[in-house]
Structure formats: structure tokens, C-alpha cells
Amino acid sequence: MSFENIILEVDNSIATLFFNRPKALNALNNALFDEMDIALDQISDNKNIRVLILTGAGDKAFVAGADIAELVKMNPLQGKSFSRKGQKVFSKIEALPIPAIAAVNGFALGGGLEAALGCDFIYASQKALFGLPEINLGLIPGFGGTQRLARRIGESRAKEMIFTGQNINAQKALEYGIVNKVCEPDKLMEDVLKTANLIATKGKIALQSAKEVVKTGLNADLETGNRIENNAFGLTMASDDAKEGTHAFLEKRKAVFKGERY
Ligand code: CO8
């Protein structure tokens, strides 16, 4: 299926999803979310894909937020349902069976930052700007930003960003722990691909388990998290990839993982 508001490229084991409304700085509208929902199902169903990269088309924005021109026409109930749609799509990224990396190439504002926070981690261009400016519109974040940002950087820093609506640069985002790495603008995709390709060589069941366990455990107390890890460890050990990895070590050779997944 061809899309109008996003681009989905699959190159061997790496899928790259571009937000593709560069004239509106890739602002998120209903149609874009519908397409993304379908694309994420395709990615999830394609067992050859091992890593997803999310980025913005054009050289200015990752995503500059929800489409304000569309938002302004909504009544409160339509707004609530739009907010729920965005929450569901970003939770779908979080629940993907493969790692997702955000390559933030410019503005990541409002829904843009919320999209990036749905990914497992973020690399950013030196030119990137991050913020939740909804307060300047008389609104609050509605695609999971109040929840994911506070969990990522702590309550007080998240509240300061949400209450002031001020943007922070990539360096500050690094300091806050929003991004893992700040890259030269021309090298952003190269750096992201390098990490994505490294991850793609690992066992898929182990990756899937690790992703699931970290996320579920963070929403639970430590003892519950340890139990979840314990069960997932047993499941991971049952995989052919675990046999290959451990035997390859003892045979002093490089492991070749089949990449099966549940
Ligand atoms: N929505 C719609 N159009 C946008 C958006 C947006 N979020 N951002 C930029 N555009 C459009 C501009 O209108 C402009 O269009 P045109 O050329 O037709 O006039 C084009 O993109 C280029 O933008 P600018 O000329 O403004 O570019 P600048 O470089 O001067 O400024 C900025 C870039 C600073 C990013 C500026 O565009 C801006 O402030 N954008 C809005 C940022 C913002 O407030 N984002 C938050 C949106 S609200 C949100 O995300 C809420 C999520 C939860 C919703 C819950 C559902 C109800």
C-alpha cells in the first residue's frame, strides 16, 4: 500500500518510517495517524524487519506537533478522540516486537516529542529542538507526553517544560536523558543506521524479550519486575538463538542468529 503522509522504506532488516508532510513541518493529522497505524502493523507482521527508525522528511523538522489547522476545527469530543488515536499509535510503537529508534532531525515539538518518546531511544541532530509547547495554545500534551516525559526525565523537569512551553536544544536534551546521542546533522542517519545495523545482528527473541521486560518492569515494583524478567529469561533460553549464541562463544566463533521471534 502506498501512503501520502508517511513514507515506509524497508532495506533488508531495517525499516525507516518518514513523517512526510514537510510543507507543514510534518505536523500530525488524522490521516497520518491512520497510515501510521497500518504501517506499524505491516512492520510488526514482517518477520524480516529487525529494527525500525522513525524520522522526518525534509531538513527542518522531525514533527512540529499535532496539526493545529485540523485541531482548531475539532469539538472537545473530537479532540479527545484525536488524542486517544495518537496515544494508541505511539503505544503501538512501544509495543512493537522490534526496537524502534527516533532520528530527530529538527523540530520535535508537541506530538513530535511524544512520537520520539514512544521509541526505545533517540539520536538527535545538533540542530534538533525539543519541547511541549501546548501550553502556549491553551492546551496540554495529549499523545502521552505528560506521562512519558515525566517518566523519562523526572517530574520536576517535565513540569518545567510543560508549564513554560519552552524548547530545549539537543545538548540540553542529552543532559536531561531525553536523547542518547547528539550527532552532526549530516551524520545523523549514518550514526542511527550504524546502531540499527548492530542491533539487527542480535537474536530477535532476546531483543523482543529485553524490550518488553524493561518496559513492563518499569511500570511495576522491583520484585514484580524481577519475576517478569525471570520468566522472560526462561523463554529466551528456549530459543535457537540462545543455543547458537552460547555454543558460538564456547566454539570461539561469531554467532549467527536466525532471528526467529514469537
Ligand atoms: N500544525 C500545522 N501546521 C504547522 C505546524 C503545526 N503544528 N507547525 C508548523 N506548521 C506549518 C506553518 O503553519 C507553516 O505553514 P505555511 O507555510 O502554510 O504558513 C509551515 O508549517 C512552516 O512553519 P513556520 O513558517 O511557522 O516555520 P518557522 O521556521 O517560522 O517556525 C516552528 C517553526 C517554531 C516549529 C513553528 O512552525 C511553530 O511554532 N509550530 C507549532 C509548534 C507547536 O505549537 N506544536 C504543538 C502543537 S499541539 C500538539 O502537538 C498537541 C498534541 C496533543 C494533541 C491532542 C489531540 C487533541
Side-chain angles (χ1 to χ4, degrees):
M1 179 184 167
S2 69
F3 299 112
E4 283 176 17
N5 299 283
I6 59 169
I7 300 168
L8 178 60
E9 284 179 3
V10 180
D11 185 8
N12 294 315
S13 53
I14 313 286
T16 307
L17 193 153
F18 295 82
F19 297 102
N20 187 34
R21 304 186 64 222
K23 283 188 184 140
L25 303 187
N26 301 325
L28 305 165
N29 59 12
N30 260 299
L32 187 149
F33 277 131
D34 289 341
E35 291 182 5
M36 213 172 149
D37 196 42
I38 294 168
L40 290 171
D41 283 341
Q42 289 177 359
I43 291 162
S44 198
D45 291 346
N46 182 339
K47 300 238 177 343
N48 295 323
I49 299 175
R50 293 177 175 222
V51 182
L52 168 66
I53 298 169
L54 230 63
T55 194
D59 56 3
K60 219 174 148 185
F62 176 73
V63 168
D67 188 325
I68 300 168
E70 195 174 271
L71 192 64
V72 82
K73 296 184 198 134
M74 293 177 193
N75 67 34
L77 284 182
Q78 288 165 333
K80 185 169 186 284
S81 119
F82 185 50
S83 150
R84 191 68 193 128
K85 183 184 269 194
Q87 287 180 344
K88 281 187 181 164
V89 169
F90 296 159
S91 290
K92 202 177 233 190
I93 302 173
E94 208 168 60
L96 278 177
I98 55 166
I101 308 172
V104 174
N105 52 317
F107 294 112
L109 306 180
L113 175 52
E114 293 171 301
L117 289 170
C119 295
D120 294 296
F121 57 87
I122 304 171
Y123 281 12
S125 146
Q126 287 162 344
K127 290 198 292 196
L129 277 180
F130 298 83
L132 291 177
E134 289 86 348
I135 205 88
N136 301 326
L137 303 168
L139 294 169
I140 64 166
F143 299 145
T146 58
Q147 303 308 302
R148 288 202 178 89
L149 189 66
R151 281 166 172 76
R152 182 76 66 95
I153 67 173
E155 184 182 341
S156 50
R157 280 177 166 166
K159 279 180 173 165
E160 188 177 352
M161 284 182 69
I162 294 167
F163 294 172
T164 65
Q166 282 181 332
N167 300 334
I168 57 171
N169 64 22
Q171 204 53 43
K172 186 68 126 183
L174 181 69
E175 187 192 311
Y176 276 14
I178 294 177
V179 312
N180 282 13
K181 188 172 182 184
V182 178
C183 310
E184 285 172 33
D186 294 345
K187 282 194 66 201
L188 173 66
M189 281 314 279
E190 192 183 318
D191 287 356
V192 171
L193 277 167
K194 203 169 157 195
T195 301
N197 280 311
L198 174 65
I199 293 172
T201 63
K202 312 296 180 191
K204 259 198 212 166
I205 288 192
L207 286 172
Q208 185 175 0
S209 293
K211 171 166 174 157
E212 209 171 290
V213 166
V214 172
K215 186 48 71 188
T216 333
L218 276 174
N219 291 329
D221 61 87
L222 183 61
E223 191 44 41
T224 310
N226 275 337
R227 279 172 198 277
I228 295 169
E229 180 191 80
N230 180 243
N231 286 328
F233 188 85
L235 189 64
T236 311
M237 267 197 90
S239 69
D240 286 348
D241 281 347
K243 289 188 193 74
E244 165 64 8
T246 46
H247 282 92
F249 175 79
L250 294 173
E251 290 160 16
K252 301 190 186 305
R253 61 176 174 82
K254 201 169 179 323
V256 181
F257 294 115
K258 279 198 331 204
E260 47 176 0
R261 103 185 177 214
Y262 54 90

